[in-house]
Amino acid sequence: MTDPAAAPHPFVVAIDGPAGAGKSTVAAHLASRFGLLNLETGAMYRALALKALRGGTDPDDAAAVTALTHTTRIELQPQATGNRVLLDGVDVTGEVRMSEVTAAASRVSVHGPVREWMVAAQRALAGTASSGVVMEGRDIGTVVFPDAPVKIFLDASPEARGERRFEQAGPAAASREAVVQDMRERDRRDRSREQSPLVPAPDAVLVDTTSLSLPEVVAMAEAIVAAHTPQHA
Ligand code: DC
């Protein structure tokens, strides 16, 4: 059992997994249920990707994207509905969800120095949360907070995840096939990159959400967190 108050770093619930597994929804519920700050690390990679695209920097150019980090400030402001994202002080919450930014975020995230910069920023952000954080991403339980007391790895079949992504995209979405194809390509890159590939931490609780309803997934996640925080149980 871990007592958040006695932990040397803030109490961290790490939520990792591929796109469309339900991470953001589960993280938002856990944050509200347990009074934790909700930090969506993917939004930080998205903000850097947006800056690269806007400035004509090739997302695959490791040196150029790394140089960009030296003059970039990314802030996450957790709200009830998700994170507000500030890029160099300007709100880009809507822009970072565009499909070309989504693809570029996965591409900038393969570069080692970019990841090191992100990890340092994410640890600093978590340090500002006195009550603890739910941090969501791909490498939270393996790299950012390998000693997090609670680690949940959410997964689902590619078909289920693609279907959810298509529904979330609404009427502006490309075809179902295009959404699924983009997601598969991003998955392949996120899982096969050399630096911090998407894998479950050895001590993560794996939850396959393929045939679970959202309330069922949320209930499972709440039970996992409650088991580690006696005062919340
Ligand atoms: O969670 P998301 O879809 O917003 O993430 C966008 C991209 O950022 C994802 O394809 C991979 C990358 N990412 C990462 O490499 N590590 C994280 N902790 C979070 C996201």
Side-chain angles (χ1 to χ4, degrees):
M1 294 283 185
T2 304
D3 175 1
H9 64 65
F11 179 67
V12 176
V13 175
I15 310 227
D16 290 302
K23 299 188 300 296
S24 299
T25 314
V26 168
H29 274 88
L30 291 179
S32 129
R33 162 79 171 80
F34 295 100
L36 305 169
L37 208 60
N38 178 17
L39 297 171
E40 300 172 357
T41 61
M44 300 173 72
Y45 289 90
R46 288 170 178 271
L48 184 64
L50 175 65
K51 181 154 173 174
L53 292 178
R54 279 180 175 170
T57 299
D58 178 358
D60 297 323
D61 184 336
V65 180
T66 302
L68 209 55
T69 63
H70 300 151
T71 56
T72 299
R73 194 162 43 90
I74 297 170
E75 292 156 80
L76 296 182
Q77 296 182 340
Q79 323 265 300
T81 51
N83 282 189
R84 190 163 168 251
V85 191
L86 301 187
L87 172 61
D88 297 324
V90 177
D91 190 330
V92 292
T93 310
E95 286 94 321
V96 298
R97 298 289 150 194
M98 295 185 307
S99 60
E100 56 271 38
V101 179
T102 302
S106 174
R107 289 163 62 192
V108 301
S109 75
V110 305
H111 309 310
V114 169
R115 300 204 67 82
E116 283 162 25
W117 182 78
M118 290 287 181
V119 169
Q122 289 154 11
R123 287 182 182 148
L125 262 176
T128 64
S130 51
S131 59
V133 299
V134 179
M135 192 173 269
E136 175 223 312
R138 304 290 187 288
D139 60 342
I140 311 307
T142 50
V143 178
V144 184
F145 285 109
D147 58 348
V150 188
K151 299 180 186 178
I152 301 174
F153 191 93
L154 291 180
D155 209 343
S157 70
E159 293 74 23
R161 294 187 293 109
E163 190 61 32
R164 288 175 197 164
R165 273 290 131 108
F166 180 66
E167 278 170 20
Q168 280 163 4
S175 68
R176 177 181 267 101
E177 290 69 32
V179 171
V180 171
Q181 180 51 36
D182 284 357
M183 200 199 66
R184 280 185 188 272
E185 173 54 19
R186 195 149 71 96
D187 269 7
R188 187 201 56 71
R189 198 185 294 109
D190 293 347
R191 290 184 200 266
S192 64
R193 67 182 175 222
E194 263 176 47
Q195 298 277 338
S196 324
L198 171 64
V199 284
D203 53 346
V205 181
L206 305 186
V207 179
D208 185 335
T209 70
T210 307
S211 49
L212 296 176
S213 68
L214 181 59
E216 286 172 328
V217 179
V218 168
M220 282 178 81
E222 285 191 355
I224 294 166
V225 177
H228 290 80
T229 56
Q231 70 276 39
H232 289 306

